[in-house]
């Protein structure tokens, strides 16, 4: 159990945290201030893929989260304004690829374009879902549920198969509008 002095040393001094802060109510206009505040939470980067009648499509997403081990569930959240939104929420199966720090090219591409798979190594996975090669992990999923959530949808997937890259590898991170990699403190 930590003593008061040990705990105090591990937490930023209260005065330092309050020196330069702003408080605001979220506005319904362009949301820039809220988007900036949300951006303070660094996340991993994924590319989600589905098969459609017009061919495979992908989307870069940082909204991925593991939800449950039993049953194995994950979630992600595509924006309603995305032209690819409907294809993802209507798909019966999808694949979430966790990107390594050496895969920013994938993230950049699928943030702007849904197609263009010919530029990357990929195979067809379970149920026809595109499976991108070399990712840190890939989760083949069947759609478990889709829920409306403001200007996004929440897509829950039941994981049916996992692929993981052997060895070590840092994940691609997204923080305050920039890509990077996690650097441990020690």
């Amino acid at each position: 159990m930590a003593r008061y002095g040990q705990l105090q040393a591990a937490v930023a001094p209260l005065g330092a945290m309050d020196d330069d802060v702003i408080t605001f109510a979220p506005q319904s206009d362009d949301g820039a201030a809220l988007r900036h505040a949300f951006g303070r939470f660094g996340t991993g980067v994924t590319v989600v893929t589905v098969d459609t009648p017009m061919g495979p499509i992908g989307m870069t997403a940082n909204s991925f989260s593991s939800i449950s081990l039993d049953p194995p569930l994950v979630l992600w959240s595509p924006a309603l304004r995305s032209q690819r939104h409907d294809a993802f929420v209507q798909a019966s199966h999808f694949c979430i690829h966790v990107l390594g720090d050496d895969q920013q090219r994938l993230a950049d591409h699928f943030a702007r374009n849904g197609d263009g798979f010919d530029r990357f190594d990929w195979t067809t996975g379970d149920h026809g879902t595109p499976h991108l090669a070399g990712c840190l992990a890939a989760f083949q999923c069947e759609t478990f549920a889709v829920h409306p959530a403001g200007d996004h949808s929440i897509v829950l997937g039941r994981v049916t198969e996992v692929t993981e890259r052997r060895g070590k590898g840092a994940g691609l991170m997204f923080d305050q509008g920039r890509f990077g990699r996690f650097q441990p403190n020690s």
Side-chain angles (χ1 to χ4, degrees):
M1 188 162 129
R3 297 184 190 276
Y4 175 73
Q6 292 170 321
L7 182 60
Q8 186 177 23
V11 177
L14 187 56
M17 290 174 45
D18 290 336
D19 284 349
D20 190 21
V21 299
I22 62 168
T23 301
F24 62 92
Q27 300 298 316
S28 62
D29 54 358
D30 72 353
L34 183 59
R35 186 176 303 107
H36 182 268
F38 282 159
R40 296 299 192 128
F41 182 69
T43 64
V45 180
T46 67
V47 169
V48 185
T49 59
V50 296
D51 186 38
T52 73
M54 296 166 296
I57 63 169
M59 179 185 289
T60 300
N62 66 346
S63 58
F64 169 74
S65 183
S66 58
I67 299 300
S68 170
L69 292 174
D70 187 19
L73 298 175
V74 295
L75 72 70
W76 76 289
S77 301
L80 294 174
R81 73 179 179 274
S82 169
Q83 292 178 348
R84 295 169 263 174
H85 173 272
D86 292 352
F88 284 98
V89 299
Q90 293 170 4
S92 63
H93 293 83
F94 59 92
C95 186
I96 297 180
H97 304 80
V98 177
L99 302 188
D101 67 347
D102 58 343
Q103 295 181 304
Q104 183 176 338
R105 187 171 157 246
L106 271 172
D108 288 338
H109 176 80
F110 287 110
R112 290 186 305 274
N113 306 295
D115 56 4
F117 278 76
D118 57 332
R119 299 177 184 156
F120 305 101
D121 291 333
W122 67 282
T123 58
T124 300
D126 289 349
H127 304 281
T129 56
H131 183 95
L132 298 166
C135 296
L136 292 181
F139 302 94
Q140 295 282 345
C141 301
E142 62 182 338
T143 300
F144 185 79
V146 177
H147 301 284
D151 59 4
H152 283 65
S153 292
I154 296 172
V155 180
L156 286 164
R158 187 176 201 290
V159 178
T160 59
E161 184 177 278
V162 179
T163 303
E164 187 176 13
R165 186 196 298 177
R166 290 182 180 251
K168 295 184 179 187
L172 182 62
M173 303 298 290
F174 190 73
D175 182 66
Q176 299 180 58
R178 302 169 298 180
F179 288 109
R181 70 185 306 230
F182 173 74
Q183 185 66 38
N185 288 335
S186 54

